[in-house]
Amino acid sequence: MVQKILMEDTRAKIRNYCLRLLKYRPRSKKEVEERLRRKRYPPELSRKVLEEFVVTGLIDDRAFAKFWLNWRSEVNPRSQNFIRWELRQKGISEDLIRETLGKISSENEFKKAKEIAGKRYDRLKGIEPEKIKRCLYACLQRHGFSSDIIFEVIEELFKKK
């Protein structure tokens, strides 16, 4: 009897913790699993609660992948390769990653890189051109863009300015 009450209490704590995590942003199943493991909740109870959340749709890797792509496209831009890497780290399957990233065209990738570089370029006015190019290259590289796109963007920026 006492054992059952303790299990229900722990189960309620796990549910509340999961709900708190999901309150801030959607999460992948793997992310929530790792957070529960770090909190050292009993693995069997954690698995059961996670399954409940998946069945009810509170944890949905497909919806999470779409959210992550939108967030990375609009709020905190990154390249397609960078987003692919992040989604892998968050436990999203390769098929789902391919499906989600299939919506990004190379035009969008170039446009995103150009937008980031343009903002950085405006802050670097008054510095010698070679140093600006190095800074822009490093910035775009940190955002995960390929060298081909980076060189195209830098070339286009310096044609106009």
Side-chain angles (χ1 to χ4, degrees):
M1 181 70 174
V2 172
Q3 180 77 10
K4 189 172 182 174
I5 293 171
L6 286 175
M7 279 182 55
E8 281 306 311
D9 186 46
T10 304
R11 191 180 205 138
K13 285 180 183 177
I14 294 171
R15 276 192 195 113
N16 287 334
Y17 182 66
C18 288
L19 287 171
R20 246 181 299 135
L21 287 175
L22 295 169
K23 182 170 84 173
Y24 297 103
R25 69 168 172 82
R27 307 222 182 230
S28 70
K29 184 177 177 184
K30 181 182 175 188
E31 278 184 297
V32 177
E33 280 175 345
E34 288 175 354
R35 296 292 289 266
L36 291 173
R37 197 174 313 115
R38 274 192 258 157
K39 283 282 202 177
R40 298 187 179 183
Y41 285 118
E44 190 58 36
L45 279 178
S46 295
R47 240 184 321 279
K48 287 179 182 176
V49 171
L50 266 174
E51 284 310 309
E52 286 174 25
F53 276 61
V54 169
V55 168
T56 58
L58 289 170
I59 295 176
D60 179 0
D61 282 353
R62 177 171 267 106
F64 171 77
K66 287 177 185 174
F67 160 80
W68 198 258
L69 175 63
N70 288 336
W71 182 68
R72 280 302 193 192
S73 296
E74 303 301 321
V75 179
N76 195 347
R78 295 291 188 261
S79 73
Q80 187 173 351
N81 288 333
F82 196 92
I83 295 169
R84 177 178 282 113
W85 177 81
E86 286 182 320
L87 289 173
R88 275 190 202 122
Q89 298 302 306
K90 295 185 178 303
I92 305 301
S93 71
E94 283 299 319
D95 292 337
L96 194 51
I97 291 173
R98 243 182 270 109
E99 177 187 319
T100 304
L101 293 179
K103 299 168 186 164
I104 299 178
S105 69
S106 56
E107 268 180 34
N108 285 349
E109 190 92 339
F110 179 78
K111 198 166 103 176
K112 199 183 317 176
K114 189 175 167 188
E115 184 182 315
I116 293 167
K119 287 178 185 175
R120 181 60 58 101
Y121 182 86
D122 291 341
R123 286 188 271 160
L124 296 172
K125 285 182 180 172
I127 299 175
E128 59 197 55
E130 287 307 310
K131 189 169 183 179
I132 291 174
K133 288 178 183 178
R134 283 194 308 271
C135 289
L136 292 175
Y137 187 91
C139 171
L140 292 173
Q141 195 174 36
R142 283 190 303 274
H143 281 81
F145 293 99
S146 70
S147 294
D148 296 340
I149 289 177
I150 295 172
F151 286 128
E152 279 182 58
V153 167
I154 291 173
E155 185 180 317
E156 189 167 312
L157 273 176
F158 276 85
K159 276 183 190 174
K160 290 182 177 180
K161 312 221 179 192

